[in-house]
Amino acid sequence: MSAQNPTIVLVHGAFADSSSWNGVVEKLQSHGYPVVAASNPLRGLAGDGEYVRQLVASIDGPVVLAGHSYGGSVISNAARGLGNVKALVFVAAFLPDKGESAVTLSGKFPGSTLGETLRPVPVTLPDGSPVADLYIEKSRFHQQFAADVPEETAAIMAATQRPVADAALAEGASAPAWKDIPSWVLVATEDRNIPARTQTFMAERAKATVVTVSASHAVSVSRPGDVARLINEAAQVTG
């Protein structure tokens, strides 16, 4: 594999699945990139990060690791110490510092309306731990998560959404990989999950290369070309 063609590993966030990257995958593959859209467990930040770390460690050659939403926290945990990760791309995502959680960052600045749309479902994890799986209410999914996606598409996304354990969103991050690995950030200005001000704050703190797009939280679905271009830029610069 050439240095110009790293493997792109895409990590979805909460209330989504790997298919949320379909449009991005198509565009990256058309440019010759090998792509893996990982299935994020959404059970706990440390465990999710370790799952992705093992996946990335199994890949020969350089990797560009991209995460959406909570997936940003996951890739920052996962990439720490992995020598084959050459760039991190955060797509409407969290870039937590050590000890920060998605919950604390979501509330850092006003604007997130996610909390009022959530439906908790009590479940028990395999180890016996009780948690609540969080879903976005289907009737509110379109407006909250994917306002710039066609209604028919948003309805399918709402039906197939993957729940996240509440404990995962509240779990503090480990030492962040973005302090050591070059990072790119796409800020979605119409995001109702992670306010644009919060995204910009995290990007500036990380000294990341920033692109701003007028889009909802579901920017990988509504604007796959913009997402793919940023990933391509990261791959070319670090290649």
Side-chain angles (χ1 to χ4, degrees):
M1 184 180 298
S2 70
Q4 288 72 38
N5 288 287
T7 297
I8 312 299
V9 177
L10 307 170
V11 180
H12 66 82
F15 321 114
D17 64 14
S18 296
S19 70
S20 63
W21 294 108
N22 282 358
V24 178
V25 171
E26 181 180 7
K27 293 181 183 301
L28 291 172
Q29 288 181 334
S30 73
H31 286 88
Y33 289 106
V35 184
V36 177
S39 183
N40 187 355
L42 304 177
R43 300 293 83 192
L45 182 54
D48 296 344
E50 178 59 20
Y51 176 87
V52 172
R53 188 195 72 78
Q54 292 181 41
L55 172 64
V56 173
S58 75
I59 296 172
D60 292 330
V63 168
V64 173
L65 191 50
H68 172 246
S69 190
Y70 165 78
S73 298
V74 173
I75 68 169
S76 186
N77 262 30
R80 187 83 177 172
L82 282 178
N84 63 333
V85 177
K86 303 304 180 183
L88 299 172
V89 182
F90 297 86
V91 180
F94 292 108
L95 290 77
D97 206 342
K98 186 175 182 179
E100 291 179 335
S101 70
V103 170
T104 57
L105 285 168
S106 290
K108 187 171 184 65
F109 299 104
S112 177
T113 56
L114 176 63
E116 64 198 55
T117 71
L118 295 178
R119 179 174 68 90
V121 176
V123 296
T124 303
L125 298 181
D127 65 1
S129 304
V131 299
D133 263 351
L134 302 177
Y135 295 82
I136 297 177
E137 290 280 3
K138 288 183 181 179
S139 63
R140 306 180 73 174
F141 188 95
H142 188 195
Q143 181 180 27
Q144 177 62 40
F145 195 87
D148 56 351
V149 171
E151 186 173 354
E152 297 79 6
T153 303
I156 294 171
M157 293 169 65
T160 60
Q161 66 177 293
R162 291 269 311 281
V164 62
D166 57 354
L169 299 183
E171 185 176 339
S174 62
W178 51 256
K179 288 191 174 182
D180 302 307
I181 300 173
S183 297
W184 280 255
V185 171
L186 184 149
V187 174
T189 61
E190 307 307 310
D191 196 326
R192 294 174 179 172
N193 280 24
I194 310 173
R197 186 178 175 190
T198 302
Q199 295 177 43
T200 301
F201 161 77
M202 293 184 290
E204 291 176 346
R205 180 175 66 177
K207 298 179 173 59
T209 300
V210 181
V211 168
T212 300
V213 176
S214 178
S216 73
H217 190 61
V219 61
S220 63
V221 178
S222 65
R223 303 285 291 272
D226 292 290
V227 175
R229 272 190 292 275
L230 186 61
I231 294 170
N232 178 64
E233 178 184 323
Q236 293 296 318
V237 169
T238 57

